[in-house]
Amino acid sequence: MNAKRTRASKEAPARRTTAGSLPRSTTAAGSRSSGASSARAKAPPLPGVAALATLAPAARAVAVPTHIIHLNPHTGIDVWQHRNAVGRALRAQSPRDAHALWQAPANRPDPIALIEASNMGRQADLVPMRFGRMAGSPFAFLRGSACVMAWDLARTASAGLHVFMCGDAHLNNFGLFGTPQGDVVIDLNDFDEVTVGPWEWDLKRLTTSIALAGREAGLDRRERRRALLRCARSYRMAMIQMQSMPILDLWYMHTAPEQMKAPGSLASTENAVLLNNAVRLARRDTNRRLLSKVAERDAKGQWRFREDPPLTQRVDAAMLDQLTHALQGYAATLARERHYMFNRYRVVDAVHRVVGVGSVGTRSYVVMMLGNDDQDVLFLQVKEAVLPAAAPFVPPLPEEYGHHQGRRVVLGQRLLQASGDPLLGWSQIDGRDFYVRQFRNLKASIPIEKLDTENLRFLGDAYGALLARAHARTGDAAAIAGYLGRVAVFDKALAEWAEAYADQTERDHAVLLAAIKSKRVTTMPG
């Protein structure tokens, strides 16, 4: 059997770090507990994390928040007015205008060294593709360098209020997808980096991506500033609205694209067209429609994936057996009633498929399953989950979330998304953690390549509110709203910070291009 077909089955031993319970005091980078469940095989620490700590000798973990909602069915939580006052008081220790400041510290590590450290444990033959994709533009560099931004964000102002944060909330990580009822909604849709940390980090990553997208669209600074202010204001006003909302109502909230075109929104005719096109694409994104695009019948008339090396490569029989076994373990993580549905499918083929920018080099498979007949197809993505980029700089997660990285992703997604994939679950292969989700689920994205001023303002407004809702589900909306206030002090500071960090990203992207030119790093197309 040729090397192309066997590469995906040769898995190296897992290297990962586990997390213990949330401590009461600040935790230094690299001090995480490695106490995994005794039922799990022991695995050495992920080398990339240790390397990141070495590269950042002055790194500080974000302090455990002084005010966070603790679950207690006997007492519940304090009334929102009191928690709002706590948030207002935090302005004294962390002024809102301090968020405007960004200047790279003198001990800032070389960004390429940080990225190289994060490559450890990945498939070495695909790492050049990661660098190649990141070299495409400053925005692409931002997408692939969450580890660099996490190092920087750990040195910025914070009110000290923690939420379950997405960890990678840039423009391309919002999109459309289907609910279990077959409706199309729009929300955050990538959770590989999810963890507990400061709410500001997600908002700063989102606004930086808006600034970079605006630059790549040729918008001037004034036009970009309007979009940035709109995003920050939308987040702030949504948090103010949600602080006093009945808790159950908050958890039932979801956003259909049609709501974004309601009277009073920023949906111009052009923006309505942008949304309508995305909804139409989502409605066409089904398992059956995908079948004819990615598969063909073999000599025996059986469906098999088409290959497109190195992006899509069929796995060998040994790896197919491992994936099938992993799906048996995954089934146990689904809601009990879904076992009856899932167990009616059988595995027929699988490929290793390269995805994303920051994820390139991690292991990602697409499994084809058939049910009633050879037209009743289900595609599942089995994607490796590694320690999030922010992990060295925030307190470790409770063991419920942190001992299995796939479970962390799944539980984080369930917490942050208003409506989610009913087939989300997790498993392991060769000691590595994976999560599983539907590969096609009425999904679509809103393209950002040719945004005009109104498009960018519209997306900033919509995504700012979506991010606020996600944070309000696990964080303290009243305390955050109290800190932000009803005037635009924070909005203006964030707009300044986003432009300054976009400048930093452009400089880091130039460093990558120089490293490629000098052959310090190699690239490959894909």
Side-chain angles (χ1 to χ4, degrees):
M1 185 173 289
N2 61 43
K4 171 173 74 70
R5 290 179 179 266
T6 61
R7 177 186 64 79
S9 68
K10 295 179 179 178
E11 301 283 355
R15 303 184 188 92
R16 32 187 298 278
T17 301
T18 57
S21 58
L22 193 67
R24 294 181 180 275
S25 58
T26 300
T27 304
S31 66
R32 286 171 162 58
S33 166
S34 59
S37 168
S38 60
R40 292 167 48 81
K42 296 293 184 180
L46 183 71
V49 174
L52 286 172
T54 302
L55 286 165
R60 61 174 179 85
V62 176
V64 175
T66 56
H67 184 75
I68 192 167
I69 293 177
H70 296 283
L71 300 180
N72 186 332
H74 297 290
T75 61
I77 57 175
D78 200 357
V79 296
W80 72 266
Q81 294 92 338
H82 293 171
R83 301 189 336 264
N84 180 280
V86 170
R88 289 199 306 272
L90 292 174
R91 300 175 193 170
Q93 67 187 47
S94 181
R96 291 169 293 175
D97 56 6
H99 290 277
L101 305 175
W102 168 252
Q103 184 174 357
N107 68 333
R108 185 176 191 257
D110 170 24
I112 307 306
L114 287 174
I115 297 165
E116 288 175 330
S118 74
N119 283 332
M120 294 183 183
R122 301 187 184 219
Q123 298 169 104
D125 57 331
L126 294 177
V127 166
M129 188 184 298
R130 181 188 186 192
F131 281 122
R133 291 186 178 186
M134 291 176 65
S137 70
F139 188 94
F141 182 92
L142 181 80
R143 290 185 60 187
S145 60
C147 58
V148 176
M149 193 170 189
W151 195 98
D152 293 332
L153 286 169
R155 289 148 184 80
T156 60
S158 174
L161 298 168
H162 283 197
V163 299
F164 264 88
M165 63 177 189
C166 168
D168 196 17
H170 60 72
L171 278 175
N172 272 351
N173 279 344
F174 292 79
L176 287 74
F177 54 89
T179 70
Q181 293 74 35
D183 299 320
V184 174
V185 296
I186 185 167
D187 210 335
L188 282 164
N189 64 0
D190 189 293
F191 301 89
D192 287 15
E193 302 291 344
V194 69
T195 190
V196 172
W199 56 270
E200 298 99 329
W201 291 13
D202 271 351
L203 194 52
K204 287 177 178 178
R205 190 155 174 81
L206 174 58
T207 51
T208 300
S209 73
I210 290 173
L212 289 170
R215 294 180 186 199
E216 293 182 17
L219 306 184
D220 62 32
R221 188 177 182 111
R222 182 182 64 83
E223 293 171 315
R224 299 194 305 268
R225 181 175 173 81
R226 291 176 64 199
L228 292 169
L229 288 172
R230 190 71 198 192
C231 179
R233 180 184 185 278
S234 180
Y235 182 95
R236 178 170 56 86
M237 297 307 294
M239 202 63 79
I240 289 172
Q241 176 190 359
M242 290 182 290
Q243 67 177 334
S244 59
M245 183 179 293
I247 294 169
L248 194 59
D249 290 355
L250 171 63
W251 278 76
Y252 280 159
M253 284 181 70
H254 66 275
T255 302
E258 293 76 18
Q259 294 171 268
M260 297 168 64
K261 297 181 287 184
S265 71
L266 290 179
S268 64
T269 300
E270 293 78 10
N271 289 330
V273 170
L274 195 70
L275 274 178
N276 290 339
N277 288 340
V279 172
R280 186 174 65 253
L281 289 174
R283 288 289 180 195
R284 292 159 59 91
D285 185 56
T286 63
N287 286 297
R288 181 170 293 189
R289 188 175 182 85
L290 180 66
L291 180 63
S292 60
K293 291 184 177 181
V294 302
E296 59 191 2
R297 295 188 184 275
D298 63 15
K300 297 181 180 179
Q302 304 299 311
W303 285 112
R304 292 292 181 266
F305 279 108
R306 295 190 184 96
E307 294 188 86
D308 181 20
L311 299 179
T312 305
Q313 299 183 59
R314 180 170 294 106
V315 303
D316 61 21
M319 189 65 220
L320 187 62
D321 285 344
Q322 285 187 293
L323 285 165
T324 303
H325 180 73
L327 288 177
Q328 291 175 326
Y330 147 79
T333 70
L334 296 175
R336 195 73 177 168
E337 65 275 10
R338 296 202 171 99
H339 291 191
Y340 293 95
M341 179 273 295
F342 181 72
N343 287 337
R344 298 185 179 203
Y345 287 94
R346 68 185 188 280
V347 174
V348 295
D349 200 14
V351 290
H352 181 278
R353 182 182 175 96
V354 180
V355 294
V357 179
S359 295
V360 176
T362 58
R363 293 147 186 84
S364 180
Y365 304 95
V366 180
V367 179
M368 184 195 307
M369 306 182 75
L370 293 178
N372 273 334
D373 57 29
D374 67 359
Q375 295 297 313
D376 179 16
V377 63
L378 171 66
F379 291 101
L380 293 179
Q381 183 181 37
V382 182
K383 192 167 188 276
E384 185 179 10
V386 299
L387 211 64
F393 313 110
V394 296
L397 290 170
E399 186 171 345
E400 175 187 3
Y401 300 101
H403 83 285
H404 188 296
Q405 297 307 315
R407 188 182 188 197
R408 170 188 58 80
V409 172
V410 170
L411 295 181
Q413 181 166 345
R414 289 173 179 170
L415 286 168
L416 294 178
Q417 271 187 344
S419 299
D421 182 352
L423 294 183
L424 271 176
W426 61 90
S427 192
Q428 276 198 325
I429 301 174
D430 281 344
R432 295 182 181 274
D433 295 341
F434 287 78
Y435 67 94
V436 182
R437 63 183 177 184
Q438 292 186 72
F439 186 60
R440 283 294 180 260
N441 179 29
L442 302 180
K443 294 177 182 176
S445 60
I446 296 178
I448 66 168
E449 289 76 16
K450 297 181 180 179
L451 298 177
D452 60 24
T453 304
E454 289 305 312
N455 294 154
L456 198 61
R457 284 185 67 213
F458 172 64
L459 293 184
D461 181 73
Y463 293 170
L466 290 174
L467 184 61
R469 187 191 64 206
H471 287 170
R473 288 166 63 91
T474 63
D476 191 340
I480 296 173
Y483 177 79
L484 290 172
R486 293 187 175 274
V487 294
V489 175
F490 179 82
D491 307 1
K492 295 174 182 177
L494 192 63
E496 290 298 319
W497 192 93
E499 285 289 350
Y501 199 79
D503 291 341
Q504 180 69 63
T505 304
E506 289 184 342
R507 292 192 294 270
D508 291 346
H509 177 250
V511 172
L512 173 60
L513 295 183
I516 294 170
K517 185 175 181 180
S518 68
K519 302 190 184 306
R520 173 184 170 185
V521 300
T522 58
T523 65
M524 64 183 288

